[in-house]
Amino acid sequence: MIHSRNLPFVTTLAILIIAYALCVLQFPNMLSTRVIGNLLTDNAFLGIAAVGMTFVILSGGIDLSIGSVIAFTSVFVAVMVGTLGVHPLIAFAAVLVISTLFGCMMGAMIRYLGIPPFVVTLAGMFLARGAAYLISTESVPISHPMIDAIQGFYFRFPGGGRLTALAMLMLLVFIVGAFVAGRTRFGANVYAIGGNQQSAELMGVPVGSTTVGIYALSGFLSGLAGIAYTLYTSSGYSLATVGVELDAIAAVVIGGTLLTGGVGLVAGTFVGILIQGLIQTYIVFDGTLSSWWTKIVIGILLFVFIVLQRGIIWYSNRKLAEGRLKEV
Amino acid sequence: MTDSTSLLEARGIGKAFLGITALDNVDFTLERGEIHALLGENGAGKSTLIKILTGVYTRDHGTMRLDGVEVTPASVAEAQALGIGTVYQEVNLLENLTVAENLFLGRQPRKLGLIDRREMRRRSKALLARYGLDIDVDALLSSYSVAIRQIVAIARAVDLSGKVLVLDEPTASLDTHEVEMLFSVLRRLREDGLGIIIITHFLNQVYAVADRVTVLRNGRLVGTRRLSELPRLELISMMLGRELQHITREHQAQEETVADTAEAPIRFAGYGKRGSVAPFDLDIRPGEVVGIAGLLGSGRTETAFLLFGIDRADSGTASVDNQDIALSSPEAAIAKGFGFCPEERKTDGIIGDFSVADNIALALQARQGWAKPISSREKRTLAENFIKSLDIRPADTERPIKFLSGGNQQKAILARWLATEPRLLILDEPTRGIDIGAHAEILKMIERLCTEGMSLVVISSELEELTAVAHRVIVLSDRRHVAELSGDQVTADNIMQAIAASARTEAA
Ligand SMILES: Nc1ncnc2c1ncn2[C@@H]1O[C@H](COP(=O)(O)OP(=O)(O)OP(=O)(O)O)[C@@H](O)[C@H]1O
Ligand SMILES: [Mg+2]
């Protein structure tokens, strides 16, 4: 039997499979490793950021700064490597430290000043975007032997598809993320806080350090997403990735995580990313549809999922009464 | 230095909330291997003292020593690390997690740094088995009843308390059998040298299990006494600061007037739901109090759910004033003048940030429709009346209800339903968590409402309470109505016998 807790995830997965099957019926070429490989690579940076967002939403919070942090990271790395000639590894390390500290700071403000996450991360969004402009308003190209090597690295699937370094990085982040959420005390604390912060505190969950940790993790993964984005576009541009945080939120919600926190799976977010990627791929294959259809379809899906989640909550509340009968 | 041999010693504890003193210079000493009851009226400061000792609140004054060493736990986690395990009055664990996850939150067994789910499941099963509970520990906590959740919370606290175990009204949702089981666990722990603090409003339980008692009144220490040397009446006057007026069974006289009305205006015939409650007949006359007794899981709450339309019946009919009605939802029931005060008031009932007056006016407002708002003046008068009659403290209509003590919140929820002046009011465990003084007040109020023509269905695990108010008692067992007692038959003994008799026939 499917646990009602996993129902949203199973539904999403079913939708993905059905949607993919329909796409393949119309365009048989979509059933190829090439398409899948591209889909993973194109959405790598979004996927990495969405893992961080999953933790934030599981804890009942929100992080609006993700898109800006990605832009900041890419500009920062591009200028360091492209203009100043710093070794990419040093630039990567530096920017990951910065973005993690940035997340820490937002988490601390949320926890210790009692400001709602929405407000804190909105401020963070403006701050990071502003900092990106400050570094450069131009698109900064980047080129370095090491970066070329990373970009050129891939495994070949049978059928001609490529599993690029970026795609592998995203998959790795999802796997580690799923373990952290499901199999560590930190992960359990995140679910606990999302369930009910006051109860969690009375049960001895270190709410303060966990909250800071959650936003630090989201900051770190935004930084990593920014690095992935830089590698993907071979440049840094402060106007890029506007609104990526909303795409990430959409992936998380479509993946079955409750916006109110406490319920959801990292694997669900992965499916959410794949659904978004599938829609884009379909539009490319069709050729006549405007890319805005992506937004429209995602909008519709979001509505469907939020209604579905309501329905599940209603259903499990009803079940509760019957559940009493099972006892003793 | 002789004092330092005590397990836990608090001296001169003081605490004020926004200028209101909740605790004033309170001393409290807990020995190893003792069960220590902490008593006092609603709002006396019991929970506040507990929260100071366990790191939830910081104290304004005083010192605290554990094993003779001065400590100041700054968080629950720190208190747990010191060996203090607590079940708080308001904690209901986390409904979004499974039973096993709740039991082991923060101390999950790990293998290679990762949570070992199988081990966690195994240990959870073993832990709950000690409380006679054999449930699916991988099911969400929300799928279980309040009683089971409470046992889970207790099991968790007991398991993580190395030195001190604190239980703030742990028995509020438990039946006699479960309370007995809990007490045998507590006695075992006492033998192991644990110090146990227990808060409860049931004096029987205090005398059954505790060695010493500390009484608080209005945030001050009244005294600490050995229970074996303390007569019950003296304990009560320590708590109340006055003698308790005994409640008498006044309703004998009313019984005739009730019986005179031949035709019952509210009738349920062959009413039931498969898998929930077997079909039953129930007639309710104006001014009548129908008690529902039975063990936990016997179908008491399910009966209430049917009567109030939370569950839909699949057999039988309901009628009011000889007109058949369909109780398809609580809204439909409310429209017929029904009211229901559920068992889970703690979690479902209050809206913490709303004022006491708003919370009391809520059901009345819902019945009137939101288009006709109750003016704030009306609300205030309404609230003032109930604050007076139920003795809600502090007597401040505008205070957010979350700042009230647990028992006073309960009273406000009760007031919410009484305010709607329903024709039939269903009360599930109406006096849980309410102190002995207010308990008497509430019983009196119930009687008064009945003389004004309201009908009541009261569900209660406390037989004394039922026999004190009910004209008739329906006894449930195994989801069936097995007996109906009325008039002089309504005694605790008869109810127990009816339950036992049906259990025997089942066993046969
Ligand atoms: N967080 C808070 N903010 C403001 N006032 C509070 C707070 N917690 C408790 N109080 C006040 O402190 C007093 C003592 O409350 P406490 O909860 O300790 O009572 P209690 O003895 O546990 O009562 P009960 O039997 O009803 O649970 C009450 O007057 C209450 O209104
Ligand atoms: Mg209390």
Side-chain angles (χ1 to χ4, degrees):
Chain A
M1 201 200 93
I2 300 163
H3 227 290
S4 74
R5 179 154 76 145
N6 292 331
L7 207 57
F9 172 69
V10 174
T11 317
T12 319
L13 195 61
I15 289 182
L16 173 69
I17 293 168
I18 294 168
Y20 190 52
L22 289 177
C23 289
V24 170
L25 274 182
Q26 196 181 352
F27 303 110
N29 282 343
M30 272 181 77
L31 184 66
S32 78
T33 53
R34 202 175 296 227
V35 169
I36 293 171
N38 288 347
L39 192 155
L40 292 179
T41 308
D42 294 342
N43 290 286
F45 78 95
L46 178 61
I48 293 168
V51 172
M53 186 65 94
T54 311
F55 280 87
V56 172
I57 292 182
L58 276 178
S59 76
I62 196 91
D63 187 351
L64 299 176
S65 70
I66 285 178
S68 302
V69 173
I70 294 176
F72 169 82
T73 309
S74 75
V75 176
F76 183 88
V77 168
V79 168
M80 287 266 270
V81 177
T83 317
L84 304 176
V86 178
H87 189 278
L89 281 182
I90 295 174
F92 292 167
V95 82
L96 284 177
V97 169
I98 294 175
S99 63
T100 308
L101 284 179
F102 186 65
C104 269
M105 200 188 68
M106 291 195 297
M109 284 175 76
I110 291 166
R111 171 63 189 166
Y112 298 107
L113 301 183
I115 310 171
F118 187 94
V119 178
V120 172
T121 58
L122 186 70
M125 171 176 118
F126 284 114
L127 200 69
R129 185 68 66 180
Y133 289 146
L134 213 58
I135 297 174
S136 168
T137 47
E138 314 275 297
S139 173
V140 187
I142 179 173
S143 137
H144 185 278
M146 195 190 128
I147 286 179
D148 297 340
I150 298 174
Q151 285 171 331
F153 182 81
Y154 59 84
F155 286 114
R156 190 174 286 282
F157 288 130
R162 291 171 176 187
L163 186 65
T164 60
L166 286 183
M168 284 187 278
L169 180 66
M170 171 179 76
L171 292 177
L172 182 73
V173 168
F174 268 106
I175 291 167
V176 173
F179 266 101
V180 171
R183 299 291 299 277
T184 65
R185 288 190 182 171
F186 173 76
N189 291 343
V190 173
Y191 281 93
I193 292 175
N196 181 337
Q197 179 160 329
Q198 197 203 348
S199 291
E201 200 152 18
L202 290 180
M203 288 172 79
V205 170
V207 176
S209 59
T210 308
T211 306
V212 173
I214 290 165
Y215 287 89
L217 178 68
S218 179
F220 172 82
L221 288 177
S222 304
L224 198 62
I227 292 172
Y229 186 76
T230 317
L231 294 172
Y232 179 59
T233 58
S234 303
S235 68
Y237 185 33
S238 51
L239 275 174
T241 62
V242 171
V244 162
E245 57 279 348
L246 302 182
D247 293 333
I249 294 170
V252 173
V253 173
I254 291 175
T257 300
L258 284 189
L259 264 178
T260 44
V263 179
L265 293 170
V266 171
T269 304
F270 184 61
V271 178
I273 291 284
L274 291 184
I275 289 181
Q276 290 197 17
L278 186 68
I279 299 167
Q280 285 158 1
T281 313
Y282 178 85
I283 285 163
V284 172
F285 266 76
D286 184 272
T288 61
L289 291 172
S290 132
S291 71
W292 292 110
W293 278 101
T294 321
K295 304 273 178 214
I296 292 171
V297 176
I298 289 178
I300 293 170
L301 276 182
L302 273 176
F303 273 122
V304 169
F305 273 86
I306 287 166
V307 170
L308 182 82
Q309 292 181 353
R310 279 280 123 211
I312 288 169
I313 290 171
W314 174 84
Y315 172 79
S316 49
N317 280 349
R318 268 211 86 91
K319 268 270 177 233
L320 200 65
E322 289 163 35
R324 285 161 208 273
L325 303 177
K326 285 191 214 105
E327 85 218 13
V328 187
Chain B
M1 276 312 281
T2 44
D3 266 353
S4 64
T5 50
S6 295
L7 175 57
L8 180 72
E9 204 190 336
R11 286 276 164 272
I13 301 291
K15 175 80 187 172
F17 292 107
L18 317 163
I20 299 170
T21 309
L23 284 178
D24 183 13
N25 196 20
V26 170
D27 295 341
F28 180 81
T29 310
L30 179 71
E31 303 295 341
R32 286 178 200 79
E34 86 161 336
I35 300 180
H36 196 131
L38 185 56
L39 300 188
E41 289 179 283
N42 294 135
K46 305 178 297 290
S47 300
T48 307
L49 178 60
I50 291 309
K51 287 186 175 169
I52 287 175
L53 297 181
T54 57
V56 181
Y57 296 153
T58 48
R59 53 182 185 256
D60 300 341
H61 304 286
T63 58
M64 170 180 168
R65 285 162 180 273
L66 186 69
D67 279 331
V69 183
E70 194 145 324
V71 289
T72 307
S75 69
V76 178
E78 269 181 43
Q80 283 175 4
L82 289 170
I84 307 177
T86 315
V87 178
Y88 295 95
Q89 189 174 7
E90 60 273 62
V91 81
N92 280 290
L93 303 179
L94 291 157
E95 299 191 1
N96 62 322
L97 303 186
T98 67
V99 172
E101 284 166 349
N102 268 293
L103 282 171
F104 285 94
L105 183 65
R107 55 199 191 98
Q108 298 92 338
R110 286 184 290 192
K111 216 154 80 185
L112 305 172
L114 293 180
I115 292 175
D116 184 351
R117 289 190 166 271
R118 188 179 310 167
E119 175 70 9
M120 196 160 96
R121 189 173 313 136
R122 196 185 62 72
R123 282 207 226 162
S124 301
K125 283 238 162 240
L127 196 59
L128 292 179
R130 275 189 252 158
Y131 299 83
L133 215 55
D134 181 23
I135 56 173
D136 177 10
V137 295
D138 286 326
L140 289 183
L141 189 79
S142 59
S143 57
Y144 293 107
S145 69
V146 200
I148 290 188
R149 290 183 211 181
Q150 200 152 31
I151 296 176
V152 173
I154 292 167
R156 175 186 156 86
V158 168
D159 199 43
L160 58 72
S161 61
K163 291 178 181 162
V164 180
L165 172 65
V166 186
L167 303 170
D168 193 347
E169 298 197 23
T171 58
S173 309
L174 304 185
D175 68 18
T176 339
H177 174 65
E178 290 161 325
V179 169
E180 243 340 287
M181 197 148 53
L182 169 65
F183 284 177
S184 64
V185 172
L186 294 188
R187 290 190 190 106
R188 208 160 61 218
L189 293 171
R190 169 171 62 186
E191 245 132 70
D192 298 343
L194 220 73
I196 300 168
I197 305 174
I198 182 166
I199 298 178
T200 176
H201 291 291
F202 300 112
L203 295 190
N204 288 341
Q205 298 180 357
V206 173
Y207 277 97
V209 73
D211 305 304
R212 288 200 300 164
V213 58
T214 291
V215 178
L216 300 181
R217 190 166 68 231
N218 294 330
R220 291 212 185 80
L221 177 71
V222 179
T224 299
R225 302 276 291 273
R226 225 156 237 300
L227 276 159
S228 52
E229 298 153 9
L230 182 65
R232 185 179 291 239
L233 284 178
E234 199 179 330
L235 173 59
I236 293 174
S237 50
M238 274 175 87
M239 286 164 61
L240 301 186
R242 62 185 153 88
E243 304 284 319
L244 178 74
Q245 262 91 46
H246 267 278
I247 36 155
T248 48
R249 286 193 59 184
E250 290 165 7
H251 66 266
Q252 298 290 41
Q254 301 160 23
E255 236 150 64
E256 289 91 62
T257 53
V258 168
D260 280 347
T261 334
E263 193 74 340
I266 303 174
R267 333 186 55 147
F268 295 88
Y271 216 62
K273 180 181 181 200
R274 248 187 334 172
S276 173
V277 186
F280 60 89
D281 297 332
L282 181 62
D283 294 353
I284 305 169
R285 281 172 274 273
E288 191 179 31
V289 181
V290 179
I292 297 189
L295 300 177
L296 185 86
S298 59
R300 293 179 316 201
T301 298
E302 290 74 16
T303 303
F305 277 22
L306 277 178
L307 297 183
F308 196 58
I310 296 172
D311 282 347
R312 251 194 248 194
D314 56 11
S315 70
T317 55
S319 65
V320 171
D321 298 331
N322 291 322
Q323 281 193 327
D324 277 8
I325 54 165
L327 291 174
S328 52
S329 67
E331 288 80 15
I334 290 172
K336 291 285 166 234
F338 290 13
F340 177 47
C341 191
E343 188 182 1
E344 271 180 274
R345 292 182 288 272
K346 242 192 261 176
T347 44
D348 301 344
I350 66 156
I351 304 182
D353 290 317
F354 279 28
S355 71
V356 175
D358 285 334
N359 268 287
I360 291 179
L362 205 63
L364 189 60
Q365 178 72 76
R367 206 187 55 189
Q368 287 196 358
W370 298 98
K372 278 186 284 171
I374 302 172
S375 77
S376 51
R377 172 126 40 95
E378 281 172 282
K379 260 190 223 167
R380 188 143 15 96
T381 359
L382 184 76
E384 272 164 5
N385 284 338
F386 280 105
I387 285 178
K388 194 134 42 85
S389 57
L390 294 179
D391 191 21
I392 297 175
R393 290 183 223 177
D396 176 0
T397 55
E398 299 315 310
R399 180 179 295 244
I401 198 166
K402 67 177 175 193
F403 293 146
L404 262 56
S405 78
N408 283 305
Q409 291 177 359
Q410 305 261 66
K411 293 188 209 168
I413 301 301
L414 194 60
R416 174 191 295 170
W417 286 104
L418 294 174
T420 62
E421 297 179 355
R423 176 163 191 184
L424 171 67
L425 181 59
I426 305 161
L427 300 173
D428 198 350
E429 302 291 359
T431 55
R432 282 287 152 93
I434 286 178
D435 70 50
I436 184 155
H439 189 276
E441 294 296 322
I442 286 171
L443 295 191
K444 249 193 259 161
M445 182 149 185
I446 287 179
E447 305 218 316
R448 204 190 66 231
L449 288 164
C450 288
T451 53
E452 287 166 14
M454 185 177 81
S455 310
L456 266 176
V457 171
V458 177
I459 301 172
S460 176
S461 314
E462 277 160 86
L463 301 183
E464 285 84 35
E465 178 176 308
L466 274 186
T467 52
V469 297
H471 302 110
R472 227 168 4 124
V473 172
I474 311 253
V475 181
L476 293 189
S477 175
D478 201 31
R479 313 193 180 292
R480 279 180 302 116
H481 290 209
V482 293
E484 185 173 325
L485 307 169
S486 59
D488 289 341
Q489 295 174 302
V490 179
T491 64
D493 278 349
N494 284 346
I495 297 175
M496 296 292 275
Q497 265 165 25
I499 295 173
S502 70
R504 263 200 305 281
T505 45
E506 263 146 43

